Amino acid sequence: ARQHITELSTLADEKERTTYHADALYALGLYYQKMSAYGAATEVLTKVCVLTSETQRSNRLWQAHAALAILADNDAIAAVHNRIAAETIRQIAAPIEDKRLQEIFLNAEPIRAILNTSHTT
């Protein structure tokens, strides 16, 4: 995993693409989370939120907020991250004209988990 993250970071530096940097940082944040380095994970994933907001990459934005909700050390902060993730998901789904495809998207397991969590917080 660490090798893959290094390769992503190198590619991001070579291409000078903010979206690539966000992807590399997202992978690094998840890596830190798995390694129980929660402070580092929170710091990196917060950077991902900033970068993805700047580039309007909604898919990575909701994922970063969902990860931050899991890492949050109190319920209020987790609820804020879950609400942002859920709202971002709804914004992604809204322009999907084919209602069947929209429902498939909204019922995908990771999406449904966030939407269900945001309703209970």
Side-chain angles (χ1 to χ4, degrees):
R2 188 71 175 147
Q3 176 63 32
H4 179 68
I5 293 165
T6 300
E7 290 172 12
L8 281 173
S9 295
T10 300
L11 179 63
D13 290 340
E14 288 173 2
K15 301 294 181 182
E16 297 181 7
R17 298 276 311 261
T18 303
T19 55
Y20 292 176
H21 283 286
D23 290 342
L25 288 173
Y26 178 70
L28 182 61
L30 296 182
Y31 172 80
Y32 283 146
Q33 183 181 17
K34 291 289 184 192
M35 300 306 293
S36 300
Y38 301 122
T42 299
E43 182 179 326
V44 170
L45 289 167
T46 299
K47 289 179 186 177
V48 173
C49 290
V50 171
L51 289 174
T52 55
S53 291
E54 291 173 1
T55 60
Q56 299 179 353
R57 285 205 51 222
S58 301
N59 192 45
R60 185 65 72 216
L61 180 62
W62 82 258
Q63 293 168 331
H65 277 289
L68 284 167
I70 293 167
L71 291 166
D73 56 4
N74 73 53
D75 291 343
I77 292 172
V80 168
H81 285 297
N82 277 324
R83 279 194 298 273
I84 294 169
E87 181 55 34
T88 303
I89 288 167
R90 288 184 194 98
Q91 289 172 5
I92 293 168
I96 300 173
E97 292 179 10
D98 184 322
K99 293 303 175 191
R100 184 177 155 278
L101 290 177
Q102 187 181 63
E103 285 303 311
I104 289 170
F105 172 74
L106 291 172
N107 286 309
E109 187 176 329
I111 302 289
R112 179 62 34 215
I114 294 300
L115 294 176
N116 288 343
T117 302
S118 72
H119 288 301
T120 61
T121 56

